[in-house]
Amino acid sequence: MNYSTLQLDLNDIQGDLLTGMQKHAELFLFFKIADAARFKAVVREYVVGLLTHGGTVQERDRIVAARRRRGGSGSGEMPWLGMNLGFTKDGLTRLLGPTRPQMDPAFERGADDPETIAALNDPPPSKWLRSFLADRIDAVFLIAGPDKFFVTSHGNSLRGRLGSAIKTVYSEIGTVRPGRERGHEHFGFLDGISQPGIRGLAPVSRPSAAPEQGLPGQDLIWAGEFVLGYPGQNPRDPIKPGPIEPLPAPWAKNGSYMVFRRLEQRVPEFRAFVAAQAARLGIYSELLAARMVGRWKSGAPLELAPLRDNPALGADENRNNDFEFGDDPFQRKCPYAAHIRKVYPRDDTGNEAEVQRHRIIRASIPFGPEVAPGETTTRHSRGLMFVCYQTSIERQFEFIQRSYSSDPRFVGGKTRPGGGAVTPGFDPIIGQAPSGGPREMDEPYPNYPAGNRRTTLEMPHQFVVLTAAGYFFVPSITALRTALT
Ligand code: HEM
């Protein structure tokens, strides 16, 4: 096969995963399939035609860009419905019967399985939202659009069309934060900056200087890491293609696995903790918070701005991702445990081909209200509707969560300037100790450019708490028209 001419079938791939859907508000509608025959008929005849695919998203982006060139406001005046559909293992069994093909092992286990919970140090389902567990979840609709009203009314008309074929188990709307916080998650940090560049899809910004990158610093990744039926990464070479993994069934081509996690963020507690610990360490709190994340609130990476924020750098997509960690061997600019250094260590392990096998595409959105005046302990549930896509949940999402963020020994093999091994500690944002126990992180105090003050951060509790989770298969448009219905 000639890989250089390999084309992604964007019109067959649901739109949230490679291209992203416009998302100022997003309704997550989790449901049980009550009448499989009726559900299949409505999906075939009505729903499939409404689903957003990669081609629709690209088309919209082209229209928005053209409007901007003509001096218009781009998407402002163009409400755009984005809709995707995914199934749990139970949902697929409902559609295809108990002899259906076996899919990804983690998908078949499920997010609420005791083995998954133990592997990830997740809180048990008895501590999740009760309403999420009220009944079996077979599937989820993601309905994205410009505001809450828009996604609610589209959700209602969809429910009306499906009638008694489905029973809603749980629904919740995520929204971008207001005003200047738009694009920032609830702790205040700009999100959605660094994503893998998909080969054949991401434009290469510097073809002669950096042909293996999309935007500067954005390594190109083979599409098979995120969509079934294409070559993935080569375990021995970060650039050459790896094999095309065998499909569990022909209809699985152009499908992907979606991980959903409702992550509650304890914002007042996070702020109070950061303020108290920064005072203890003798640094300002914005710097400590940045050292926990690896970026400043503006998005500027610590590797390029180690001591103070640089909003122009944070906003510049040609610079804000253009760095590695290898030239910061003593975590002076950015701690090893900082969220972004844990979840994507770049060149830190010395084996980039291997690191590139643990990438995900994120498509999350915040939920819940802003912190109210006087809210010093969390009174309103808020956080992140975390969504990511991959072709192996175990090797991608679960590996990042378990073997990077929640393993205090990762990244291994580092030493202190004068010698002696380093235990980097937990990712302070998403790392989880067994039974929600206390966590430690190494070197919250910056030793930039050449200090050697030893410090640790003791975190008695989580600031991010899992309150619901699910593993879904997001099939191709063709599969939804044919084999699955
Ligand atoms: C409430 C929970 C979370 C918060 C507040 C959070 C926050 C952030 C922020 C501020 C960034 C930097 C902006 C960017 O590069 O887009 C980021 C990046 C990232 N996060 Fe998270 N995150 C959360 C959960 C997770 C989870 C559960 C995972 C996966 C297990 C994850 C994986 C990543 C990855 C892969 C990146 C990009 C790193 C890079 O490419 O440099 N995050 N996150």
Side-chain angles (χ1 to χ4, degrees), residues 185 187 189-194 263 265 293 295 339-340 343-344 346 359-360 362 384 386 397 400-401 429-430 464:
E185 50 69 45
F187 293 146
F189 293 84
L190 185 63
D191 205 354
I193 300 172
S194 174
L263 298 170
Q265 291 175 257
V293 172
R295 289 185 185 269
H339 179 56
I340 67 158
V343 292
Y344 177 36
R346 301 183 187 224
R359 305 294 306 279
I360 49 177
R362 293 170 298 136
L384 195 66
F386 174 84
F397 162 72
I400 296 172
Q401 178 70 52
I429 306 300
I430 62 160
V464 168

Side-chain angles (χ1 to χ4, degrees), residues 13 30 43 123 221 281 289 320:
I13 300 171
F30 298 94
V43 167
I221 302 293
L281 290 163
N320 65 14

Side-chain angles (χ1 to χ4, degrees), residues 143-166:
I143 302 174
D147 56 48
K148 270 188 175 180
F149 176 77
F150 180 94
V151 296
T152 306
S153 68
H154 278 280
N156 287 344
S157 75
L158 185 62
R159 268 194 268 209
R161 256 332 239 268
L162 284 156
S164 58
I166 67 165

Side-chain angles (χ1 to χ4, degrees), residues 92-145:
L92 284 187
T93 305
R94 202 75 181 93
L95 299 181
L96 299 175
T99 56
R100 69 168 174 81
Q102 290 295 289
M103 314 285 284
D104 174 74
F107 171 80
E108 296 294 353
R109 226 194 293 124
D112 58 352
D113 181 78
E115 204 187 305
T116 311
I117 303 286
L120 302 183
N121 292 337
D122 275 347
S126 58
K127 294 199 172 161
W128 297 6
L129 285 183
R130 281 226 183 150
S131 38
F132 187 82
L133 300 167
D135 207 336
R136 192 189 66 218
I137 291 176
D138 288 331
V140 62
F141 278 115
L142 306 183
I143 302 174

Side-chain angles (χ1 to χ4, degrees), residues 332-388:
R332 285 178 162 138
K333 295 184 193 165
C334 178
Y336 298 130
H339 179 56
I340 67 158
R341 195 165 181 167
K342 277 279 194 181
V343 292
Y344 177 36
R346 301 183 187 224
D347 62 342
D348 229 5
T349 68
N351 184 350
E352 246 185 288
E354 200 273 333
V355 168
Q356 298 296 15
R357 303 250 299 155
H358 309 293
R359 305 294 306 279
I360 49 177
I361 294 183
R362 293 170 298 136
S364 315
I365 189 163
F367 70 88
E370 294 295 295
V371 174
E375 188 181 349
T376 49
T377 51
T378 297
R379 272 188 314 196
H380 304 284
S381 183
R382 66 175 66 78
L384 195 66
M385 300 295 246
F386 174 84
V387 169
C388 75

Side-chain angles (χ1 to χ4, degrees), residues 287-317:
L287 175 57
L288 178 58
R291 285 183 69 82
M292 294 163 81
V293 172
R295 289 185 185 269
W296 297 88
K297 288 188 173 164
S298 71
L302 284 186
E303 285 298 336
L304 302 180
L307 291 180
R308 59 195 57 82
D309 196 359
N310 179 345
L313 168 64
D316 184 349
E317 62 173 19

